[in-house]
Amino acid sequence: MAMVRASSGLAYPDRFYAAATYAGFGSSSNAVTSKFSNDVALLLYALYQQATVGPCNVPKPRSWSPVEQSKWTSWNGLGNMASSEAMRLFVKILEEEDPGWYSRISDFIPEPVVDVEMNHNSKADLPTENEITLPEMKTIPTENGNSVDKDVTEEVVGSVGVYDQWVAPSVSGPRPKPRYEHAATVIDDKMYIFGGNHNGRYLNDLQILDLRNWTWSKVEVKANSGDTGRVTPCAGHSLIPWEGNKLISIAGHSKDASEAINVKAFDLQTYSWSNMKTYGKPPVSRGGQSVTLVGNTLVIFGGQDGNRTLLNDLHILDFETMTWDEIDTIGVSPSPRADHAAAVHAERYLLIFGGGTHSTCFNDLHVLDLKTMEWSKPSQQGEIPSPRAGHAGVTIGESWFIVGGGDNKSGVSETVVLNMSTLSWSVVTTVQGRVPLASEGLSLVLSSYNGEDILVSFGGYNGRYNNEVNLLKPSYKSTLQTTGSGVPALDSASGAQNATNGTRDVDLEFEAGQEAKVREISMENNELQTSEVNEVSESTLAALKAEKEELESALSNEKSQSNELKQQLIEAESKNSDLYKELQSLRVQLAAEQSRCFKLEVDVAELRQKLQTMDALQKEVEILQRQKAASEEAYAKQKQSSGGVWGWLAGTPPPTDA
């Protein structure tokens, strides 16, 4: 049992080399021929070559040997898959085919490997910092009744004993209130749950589930200076991990809804909330949107605003500058919707699946090319899921797992997976009955144990509010799916896609009746020398270090430029504020001048009217003066003539001319 614990605690690449030795690679053992079927043995061979040598650069063999042809096809089919990914898949396949290999590893590991294990033996009985101890499990019944009722035993050392099945772990500590439409994320093997809806009331508590000991605890939020320490209760929001020590809560419905989206940050070191200042024009407040982290940017699509209006707009928040930008896209965008799921593929393609309106649910798939900002609606392959809304999803490499949701009538019982390169759907498992996994508004996060991925779900609503935890360990068959044609649907050089094509070719060749043994596989691996592997590892490590230093330098330059731009923006805002104040002052002065000019115009009008009146009076005076002169002249003549008559009558002689 000590050997089991020591090997289970091995980290990569030691864990891979131990598994490879047990399987018969890199030694003189031919155990690989009797342990596995032909197709599994060929896939293990290809992954071993990919992990130790790298991508297949040797020409296709010209010999007519079907084994040689199949080995080359399987290895070449892995394309440019990373060495670490090949190691992880190798161990995962081995554990699926032979779950008890830990207990028998001492029979196959030679002395040098045992010595390496013994060096770790001092800490073998205690969980390491990155090691998770899974408690006793109970299995969720499947639709076909093939539930797995065995507990987790020491033989598998705390790992989930089955693949592609949901199990409910036994958790301790005070459980959070049942809820849905909450938000969840994982940082340092801890799942954080924030907010949600419980019996129609919004929540604002922050809960932690430690994924190493499966214990619940509640975060006691501390107040910042000038702050009460409380954050507005909300639901339908999104929670994003950032910088390793922060949780970013964005959007969501609340009773005190604002006009624009709020961005809040929780500091895991100070245990306090704060509002993040953003620039640009933020989107309208909403809930049920999708928020996808792509590099240093958040891509937000759709949702429902406070007036229950459904949206299909696209916005991007740049974390470097904290600036909002509304994106104009081309092509036919998805119809307005909320409670959909989104994922990013190859850091270029944004995938939108499902969602719904107030009365209709969708199962359509839309793809946005983030380089050209063009929407497309590609055809889906395989078992296309039924319409749903309120589901949750996470990605593992090329695979996008979708869990839960509902169609306004009942919850969805299937857990499905989409190969994002081929756009081919398949069903992973189906639960039975009205269980939390068939709920709307549940959360789904991705964690890991012992180098293997696990999906962890929490909460949801399916007629009642839930606070249960369930987990699933996907198999390599779930993460390597193919379509009928095997042609990639998206422009991405996917190692997983190449791997599935290679496996399919192997199956076809063996179906033709090739009965050759695979005994030569382990023999040929002896040609690989340990020194060559070390040289490859050292050169790869040196290249990675150089690339890391280059990226860190570029990141430092970008941060410096970002700080300069922020400072310039602050100065520009200050200058704009001063100019605005000056403009307001000038506007006041201009208004006063306009008022004075108006009064002057009124005075001028009055003077003009008086001047016109004076002209009329002057003309009247002139007329009167002329009339007066004429009257005086007539009077003088009359007087003169009248004086002669009266003088004659009086005996006065008329005057004589001089």
Side-chain angles (χ1 to χ4, degrees), residues 155-231:
E155 181 178 359
V156 292
V157 194
S159 65
V160 182
V162 293
Y163 288 88
D164 296 337
Q165 296 289 343
W166 286 102
V167 294
S170 299
V171 296
S172 60
R175 290 199 177 196
K177 285 184 178 180
R179 67 192 67 197
Y180 84 122
E181 290 186 341
H182 52 279
T185 191
V186 171
I187 295 181
D188 294 336
D189 294 330
K190 293 181 179 179
M191 181 174 69
Y192 292 84
I193 302 292
F194 171 60
N197 190 322
H198 172 73
N199 291 336
R201 299 182 62 182
Y202 295 135
L203 305 174
N204 66 345
D205 56 334
L206 183 61
Q207 306 280 346
I208 299 178
L209 177 62
D210 193 323
L211 300 177
R212 289 171 296 196
N213 54 27
W214 300 91
T215 303
W216 281 107
S217 61
K218 182 179 179 181
V219 176
E220 296 298 332
V221 179
K222 299 180 181 179
N224 282 324
S225 58
D227 191 4
T228 61
R230 291 179 56 84
V231 65

Side-chain angles (χ1 to χ4, degrees), residues 69-133:
Q69 295 280 342
S70 299
K71 287 161 59 179
W72 183 90
T73 301
S74 183
W75 182 15
N76 185 69
L78 297 180
N80 295 322
M81 178 185 289
S83 174
S84 58
E85 181 69 10
M87 291 182 179
R88 187 181 69 86
L89 287 176
F90 185 98
V91 175
K92 177 178 286 191
I93 294 171
L94 176 62
E95 291 183 349
E96 287 186 42
E97 297 294 329
D98 189 358
W101 73 281
Y102 284 141
S103 61
R104 294 182 291 274
I105 195 172
S106 59
D107 297 332
F108 294 91
I109 296 182
E111 287 301 321
V113 179
V114 173
D115 292 340
V116 173
E117 291 181 358
M118 295 303 293
N119 291 336
H120 293 279
N121 196 35
S122 60
K123 300 180 181 180
D125 294 334
L126 298 176
T128 61
E129 183 178 356
N130 297 324
E131 189 175 358
I132 304 174
T133 302

Side-chain angles (χ1 to χ4, degrees), residues 164-417:
D164 296 337
Q165 296 289 343
W166 286 102
V167 294
S170 299
V171 296
S172 60
R175 290 199 177 196
K177 285 184 178 180
R179 67 192 67 197
Y180 84 122
E181 290 186 341
H182 52 279
T185 191
V186 171
I187 295 181
D188 294 336
D189 294 330
K190 293 181 179 179
M191 181 174 69
Y192 292 84
I193 302 292
F194 171 60
N197 190 322
H198 172 73
N199 291 336
R201 299 182 62 182
Y202 295 135
L203 305 174
N204 66 345
D205 56 334
L206 183 61
Q207 306 280 346
I208 299 178
L209 177 62
D210 193 323
L211 300 177
R212 289 171 296 196
N213 54 27
W214 300 91
T215 303
W216 281 107
S217 61
K218 182 179 179 181
V219 176
E220 296 298 332
V221 179
K222 299 180 181 179
N224 282 324
S225 58
D227 191 4
T228 61
R230 291 179 56 84
V231 65
T232 304
C234 60
H237 51 288
S238 301
L239 199 64
I240 305 295
W242 184 245
E243 294 182 347
N245 61 352
K246 287 185 176 63
L247 301 173
I248 305 297
S249 174
I250 185 167
H253 295 301
S254 63
K255 289 185 177 180
D256 302 327
S258 59
E259 294 182 359
I261 278 183
N262 288 323
V263 182
K264 302 180 286 287
F266 184 79
D267 194 317
L268 296 177
Q269 295 178 345
T270 63
Y271 275 49
S272 60
W273 285 101
S274 62
N275 291 321
M276 300 186 70
K277 184 178 181 181
T278 60
Y279 304 91
K281 183 180 179 181
V284 65
S285 179
R286 66 192 66 196
Q289 70 292 322
S290 62
V291 178
T292 310
L293 183 62
V294 183
N296 289 330
T297 61
L298 287 182
V299 181
I300 300 179
F301 172 78
Q304 178 179 270
D305 66 13
N307 298 322
R308 294 176 57 83
T309 301
L310 293 165
L311 308 168
N312 65 342
D313 51 346
L314 187 76
H315 299 264
I316 288 181
L317 175 62
D318 189 335
F319 269 149
E320 291 294 329
T321 61
M322 294 305 296
T323 303
W324 286 105
D325 189 12
E326 183 174 5
I327 304 301
D328 295 327
T329 60
I330 58 178
V332 180
S333 61
S335 59
R337 65 190 63 200
D339 300 326
H340 51 279
V344 63
H345 171 60
E347 294 294 314
R348 174 173 177 176
Y349 300 100
L350 177 70
L351 284 73
I352 302 293
F353 170 72
T357 64
H358 303 304
S359 59
T360 306
C361 293
F362 307 116
N363 65 342
D364 50 353
L365 179 67
H366 298 263
V367 178
L368 175 66
D369 190 330
L370 295 174
K371 287 188 178 180
T372 62
M373 289 300 168
E374 181 177 5
W375 285 104
S376 61
K377 188 178 179 181
S379 60
Q380 306 177 59
Q381 308 294 328
E383 304 177 54
I384 300 177
S386 59
R388 66 194 64 193
H391 46 286
V394 295
T395 60
I396 303 177
E398 299 288 313
S399 302
W400 186 17
F401 290 84
I402 300 292
V403 178
D407 57 1
N408 293 326
K409 296 179 182 179
S410 61
V412 178
S413 58
E414 301 89 7
T415 298
V416 296
V417 60

